[in-house]
Amino acid sequence: MSDILVHTEAGVMTLTFNRVDKKNSITSAMYATLADALDGAVNDAAVRAVLIQGDATIFSAGNDIADFLHAPPAGENSPVFRFLHGIASFPKPIVAAVCGPAVGIGTTLLFHCDLVYAGDNAAFSMPFVNLGLCPEAASSMLAPQMFGYHRAAEALLLGEPFMAEAALEVGLVNRVVPPTEANAIAQVQARKLAAKPITALIETKRLMKKAQQPALLERMDEEGRSFGRMLREPAAREAFTAFMEKRRPDFSRV
Ligand code: COA
């Protein structure tokens, strides 16, 4: 079965991470599937809203670390950048249901969703610095804007995880719900959106995002250039190798 399930029903295209044995970490092929699905949905009248979900135990462990080590993304046409541009520019509403760990892009993609429902077991983290990397998905701009600078610094400089209630408090999620109900609750909300006039949804979303959209895309590109370079540098290589070898990284020589 595919690592990303794509299913459209009642106007909602549901994208499900389906690689639970690897904690829904996202490979290049999975980014390509996500990017293609979003791209196709822009002009598909059958899709009026999108739902992104994992299962009750795991949303996503972020980018596949073996991919980072052996086939790091190169350039603007790489699947991960196509996905990030696609989600950041997607004109129709996007809902997310998040349970369990949401690491790296598992958290940063949520900045580009319109509604987020979190299981009370959700644990968000952006450990880019701990991996010798910098933020992506415009999170260096959107996290300080949403959380306030000091809380964003805790999340992005210390890379400390924060739980569902803290995410609710800073406005990253709309509601905290039982994990076994998160996907169903998010599906209900997505279907509510899908039943509304699509032109009004699209215009309202465009207007809400208009002021920050150019700066957001510019920041995403700048982050992408730094991230692409840093992926190939010794600190990140050591962090990825240590993860694969199930040991603590040793940054003393980098
Ligand atoms: N890339 C590749 N494989 C990953 C992965 C990732 N990002 N995250 C987890 N996996 C794999 C593990 O290697 C392990 O594989 P194995 O069974 O073949 O040994 C399997 O998924 C289970 O992971 P494990 O770490 O044992 O699960 P856990 O429940 O103890 O911890 C996480 C879950 C998500 C907290 C932990 O896996 C983690 O921190 N992952 C890395 C997150 C990360 O740094 N992502 C990059 C962000 S930019």
Side-chain angles (χ1 to χ4, degrees), residues 1 5 31 39 44 81-82 130 180 214 225 254:
M1 198 174 306
L5 305 179
Y31 285 121
D39 202 30
D44 182 350
F81 292 122
R82 283 206 299 121
N130 302 341
T180 51
R225 286 190 292 277
V254 298

Side-chain angles (χ1 to χ4, degrees), residues 21-23 25 61-66 68 101 103-104 127-128 131 243 246:
D21 60 325
K22 293 289 181 188
K23 300 289 167 185
S25 51
N63 204 104
D64 183 280
I65 289 181
F68 266 167
V103 187
F128 303 113
L131 295 168
F243 179 80
K246 300 188 188 293

Side-chain angles (χ1 to χ4, degrees), residues 132-195:
L133 297 170
C134 70
E136 34 83 318
S139 55
S140 65
M141 176 179 134
L142 299 172
Q145 208 174 71
M146 182 181 281
F147 304 175
Y149 182 81
H150 291 97
R151 281 195 282 200
E154 220 164 39
L156 283 170
L157 294 179
L158 282 175
E160 286 191 347
F162 51 101
M163 302 304 289
E165 287 299 335
L168 181 67
E169 195 195 325
V170 295
L172 184 64
V173 311
N174 291 80
R175 202 193 308 166
V176 179
V177 301
T180 51
E181 294 170 27
N183 287 2
I185 288 169
Q187 183 70 232
V188 167
Q189 299 302 85
R191 288 189 185 195
K192 274 190 207 163
L193 288 166

